[in-house]
Amino acid sequence: MTRVTTTRAVLALGAFGVAALGGVAVWLVRGGDPTTEATDASLSGYAPTAPTGSMLRYETEYPTIPYTTGKRTERVAELIGRIDRGETELEYDGERGYLESLLAALEIDPSSQTLVYSQTSLQGKLIGPKTPRAIYFNDDVYVGYVQDGPIEIASLDSNLGPVFYLLEQSAPKPKLTAELGRCMSCHDSYSLTGGGVPRFIVGSGYTGTTGMLVSHEGWILVSDRTPLKSRWGGWYVTGMHGSQVHLGNIVIKTIYDFDKLDELRIGNRDTLEGLVDTKPYLTDKSDIVALLVLQHQADVQNLITRVSYDARSAVEKREEPLEETVERLLRMMLFVDAVEYTEPISGDAKFAEQFGSRAVRDSQGRSLRDFDLQRRLFRYPLSYVIYSPAFDALPSDVRSMFYARLNEVLTGADSSESFRHLSAADRNSILEILRDTKPDAIPGAAN
């Protein structure tokens, strides 16, 4: 009874009830600790923020991180340089503007498409169940496409963390503009985690017919630990998952829908036919495996950014010791407490193929990108993000600290309950893969 009463109140408040959360939600849905409710995200309009180029509040906490003035070396900055030098040209087509040309230039495969219809974006008024926002991604760049709006881009810089851009679709020539003020209204996570850092955001919430979130209590921040039944509210989902349920594809029409969610669940679909017109998009899917990878990758990248900021900072008082942040990163990359699947999951073969094409493989052909999808996401449960430039850019003492703990776990020196999900075979396989593919991580491995 309490839940229905609360939901009724939120729906009655309408836009005011949502706006009361404060701030502005940006193009990736919120992410972080799955047990924490978002308390600072509005779903429409633009929040007043410091203009681009002004010092952001976490730059005071981390004065050695020149986020607004430092040189960007990430993939989008490189693309801008190529465009300025005349080496690359983005082509415009009448249907989707610069989207396809941009994805090709950034080496992002269309099969990575996921569709989100909650109005958690700077362009919320253009987004809803009939006009979802498409997200395409590779290992370090996320592109958000909104019909009749600019293209939103988030890119991971090895030194600065996530950085954000807009590409206007109405411009006669493509112009990628850095967005530091409006995007930081949410992507600066100062108020959520202490010692703010920019971050990517992934989450789940009950969504109504207009695309607005309709329940405060139903909004969660998702991670590998979040049960599938609580994921993907406000997202479309294709792919097979058996009797396991999720919140994807559900549109809340009345308050009474909360009492019959099981009747509204729509799953195990090859395409989105009958749910939404996908002709404006590049595929007819919003792939479940892509969604799983997107969330995991973003979470690990966020913690890498946090560790990097802490390690490079001259600030004396941190919210937690550096060792504790490194331990959090280790546990996330080893999938500690990750939900186990009760039935196999399968998605778009094209996504799996292109994702695996970027694998670093050992002498036996094994890779940390190899999917399991029977009871967990990956066959060898150590995150492939360990190969990323952002991880390699961590200060050497931080990497040494991480590797020391990783070896304690993989060799069995640390056999604590936290790592009980790693079998002896898992630990040995990961050690062997790392010896061949990342020898600096393993003491005594040949270089």
Side-chain angles (χ1 to χ4, degrees):
M1 185 65 182
T2 301
R3 183 188 67 183
V4 174
T5 301
T6 303
T7 303
R8 188 188 302 272
V10 173
L11 286 167
L13 285 170
F16 175 78
V18 175
L21 292 170
V24 58
V26 197
W27 69 273
L28 282 179
V29 187
R30 294 201 156 276
D33 186 338
T35 63
T36 305
E37 291 187 4
T39 57
D40 66 340
S42 171
L43 304 177
S44 61
Y46 296 99
T49 62
T52 296
S54 298
M55 179 172 284
L56 299 168
R57 53 189 173 184
Y58 58 78
E59 290 183 300
T60 303
E61 295 292 313
Y62 298 94
T64 60
I65 307 296
Y67 187 82
T68 56
T69 59
K71 181 179 179 181
R72 296 180 172 190
T73 60
E74 36 72 35
R75 195 184 295 254
V76 178
E78 293 174 355
L79 174 60
I80 292 172
R82 297 201 308 270
I83 292 174
D84 290 345
R85 293 189 299 270
E87 300 170 359
T88 298
E89 182 176 341
L90 298 184
E91 297 181 1
Y92 185 93
D93 73 49
E95 188 173 5
R96 301 183 188 92
Y98 294 110
L99 176 63
E100 291 174 80
S101 181
L102 176 67
L103 294 182
L106 294 173
E107 299 180 293
I108 297 176
D109 196 276
S111 66
S112 65
Q113 174 177 291
T114 61
L115 298 178
V116 54
Y117 52 87
S118 62
Q119 291 183 348
T120 42
S121 169
L122 285 173
Q123 304 182 78
K125 293 181 179 180
L126 299 177
I127 298 167
K130 294 182 179 179
T131 55
R133 176 166 38 105
I135 295 175
Y136 305 92
F137 67 100
N138 58 18
D139 290 356
D140 47 25
V141 185
Y142 307 84
V143 172
Y145 168 72
V146 179
Q147 295 183 51
D148 301 319
I151 296 174
E152 307 162 335
I153 310 168
S155 181
L156 183 65
D157 187 282
S158 296
N159 293 309
L160 302 177
V163 293
F164 305 92
Y165 299 87
L166 284 181
L167 173 58
E168 290 292 342
Q169 290 279 52
S170 59
K173 292 184 178 180
K175 183 178 180 181
L176 286 154
T177 305
E179 280 289 340
L180 302 182
R182 291 179 296 178
C183 289
M184 287 302 106
S185 298
C186 278
H187 288 283
D188 172 2
S189 57
Y190 181 91
S191 61
L192 296 179
T193 60
V197 297
R199 67 175 186 171
F200 304 120
I201 299 172
V202 183
S204 174
Y206 296 112
T207 304
T209 56
T210 65
M212 295 186 72
L213 295 185
V214 294
S215 171
H216 292 185
E217 66 178 5
W219 178 257
I220 62 170
L221 311 171
V222 301
S223 77
D224 292 326
R225 304 184 302 276
T226 307
L228 295 184
K229 67 179 182 180
S230 299
R231 298 194 201 185
W232 307 317
W235 300 76
Y236 285 115
V237 181
T238 58
M240 300 295 122
H241 45 82
S243 63
Q244 300 169 109
V245 298
H246 55 74
L247 293 177
N249 306 327
I250 295 177
V251 177
I252 300 296
K253 297 179 180 179
T254 75
I255 59 173
Y256 304 106
D257 285 347
F258 287 96
D259 295 322
K260 56 178 182 179
L261 286 178
D262 287 340
E263 300 175 27
L264 298 175
R265 296 187 193 276
I266 304 172
N268 296 305
R269 301 180 62 92
D270 287 324
T271 74
L272 294 173
E273 183 179 357
L275 294 181
V276 63
D277 180 9
T278 58
K279 291 185 180 65
Y281 305 95
L282 297 178
T283 81
D284 58 1
K285 295 175 172 53
S286 182
D287 186 55
I288 189 171
V289 179
L291 284 163
L292 291 166
V293 170
L294 169 68
Q295 168 266 304
H296 168 75
Q297 178 175 288
D299 279 353
V300 173
Q301 290 171 339
N302 288 340
L303 262 183
I304 288 175
T305 300
R306 179 62 183 273
V307 172
S308 177
Y309 271 50
D310 278 355
R312 290 180 167 90
S313 175
V315 175
E316 295 181 359
K317 292 184 179 180
R318 296 191 178 102
E319 290 295 316
E320 58 187 10
L322 183 59
E323 292 80 4
E324 291 186 14
T325 311
V326 172
E327 186 70 16
R328 287 174 58 206
L329 178 61
L330 174 78
R331 292 166 66 87
M332 181 173 288
M333 293 183 70
L334 286 172
F335 296 86
V336 171
D337 295 327
V339 170
E340 286 199 0
Y341 311 149
T342 58
E343 294 184 47
I345 289 175
S346 62
D348 184 4
K350 291 181 180 178
F351 173 78
E353 180 181 359
Q354 63 86 23
F355 178 80
S357 70
R358 300 192 293 278
V360 181
R361 299 194 175 276
D362 71 357
S363 58
Q364 299 183 49
R366 298 174 297 185
S367 167
L368 297 182
R369 287 179 181 263
D370 291 345
F371 287 119
D372 178 86
L373 298 177
Q374 302 300 303
R375 61 187 181 92
R376 62 193 182 195
L377 183 54
F378 293 108
R379 183 174 180 182
Y380 308 107
L382 171 64
S383 179
Y384 63 92
V385 183
I386 197 171
Y387 298 109
S388 67
F391 183 91
D392 288 339
L394 288 170
S396 58
D397 58 335
V398 171
R399 281 184 284 114
S400 295
M401 190 185 307
F402 180 93
Y403 289 150
R405 284 290 295 125
L406 178 63
N407 278 272
E408 287 176 354
V409 174
L410 296 181
T411 60
D414 183 344
S415 57
S416 60
E417 186 71 8
S418 293
F419 304 103
R420 67 188 183 280
H421 66 293
L422 297 171
S423 68
D426 288 336
R427 298 178 195 228
N428 188 60
S429 294
I430 295 170
L431 275 171
E432 291 176 345
I433 292 170
L434 291 178
R435 284 195 183 101
D436 276 4
T437 62
K438 201 172 182 65
D440 62 316
I442 306 299
N447 289 291

